[in-house]
Amino acid sequence: MSTEPTQPGRRRVVLGAVGGLGAVGVASALTACGGSNDPTIPPEESAASSELSSNGTLDVKASDIAVGGGVIVESAKVVVTQPAKGTFKAFSAICPHQGCVVAKIVDNVITCPCHTSTFNAETGAVLGGPSPSPLAPHQLTVKGDTITLPSA
Ligand code: FES
């Protein structure tokens, strides 16, 4: 008999990793559940790709970021969101509470997995949990389908 606890809703952390250049990995957490519990339908998750430019900046494809979702650029510890169609924001992915890397962006809410602080995906403001301060904003530029993150 199994006594292992279950945590409905937390079973699947939507993370994907792509590391074409080794040091460059992007985990993505895209839109919320599509409402289907059909196990034959794959979850809405995908990995975004990023490239390290020769000048040290990171490029992320805007089309890899769902509206209301975002991607976490692991190598830069930056989370890039699209709170509204065509509007992109970037923040430090380091949670101000105890330094975990945020892990999920769903319905314009960024969540830290360690103690479930939540942040507004447009402003970085704390929505809930123990974080004492918002996620720090990070610069980005958008040109066509390319979002460029300056090196930290
Ligand atoms: S480290 Fe993020 S909530 Fe504690």
Side-chain angles (χ1 to χ4, degrees):
M1 179 162 108
S2 172
T3 58
E4 187 173 314
T6 59
Q7 295 181 325
R10 299 192 75 194
R11 292 182 324 193
R12 182 170 298 198
V13 175
V14 183
L15 284 176
V18 173
L21 296 174
V24 178
V26 174
S28 69
L30 300 177
T31 58
C33 300
S36 172
N37 291 323
D38 184 342
T40 63
I41 298 174
E44 291 181 50
E45 60 183 271
S46 67
S49 61
S50 64
E51 290 183 27
L52 184 62
S53 303
S54 58
N55 63 2
T57 62
L58 271 171
D59 292 339
V60 179
K61 286 182 67 174
S63 57
D64 285 342
I65 304 173
V67 175
V71 296
I72 298 159
V73 183
E74 292 279 351
S75 60
K77 301 290 188 268
V78 171
V79 56
V80 182
T81 64
Q82 185 177 195
K85 186 171 176 52
T87 299
F88 296 92
K89 301 287 182 172
F91 306 95
S92 167
I94 305 295
C95 179
H97 180 227
Q98 290 184 1
C100 291
V101 175
V102 299
K104 181 168 87 170
I105 307 99
V106 176
D107 292 338
N108 282 326
V109 176
I110 302 167
T111 303
C112 176
C114 291
H115 313 98
T116 62
S117 283
T118 52
F119 305 91
N120 181 303
E122 182 172 12
T123 65
V126 177
L127 298 174
S131 179
S133 56
L135 295 175
H138 194 279
Q139 288 187 316
L140 84 169
T141 57
V142 182
K143 190 171 187 179
D145 190 41
T146 301
I147 297 170
T148 300
L149 304 171
S151 53

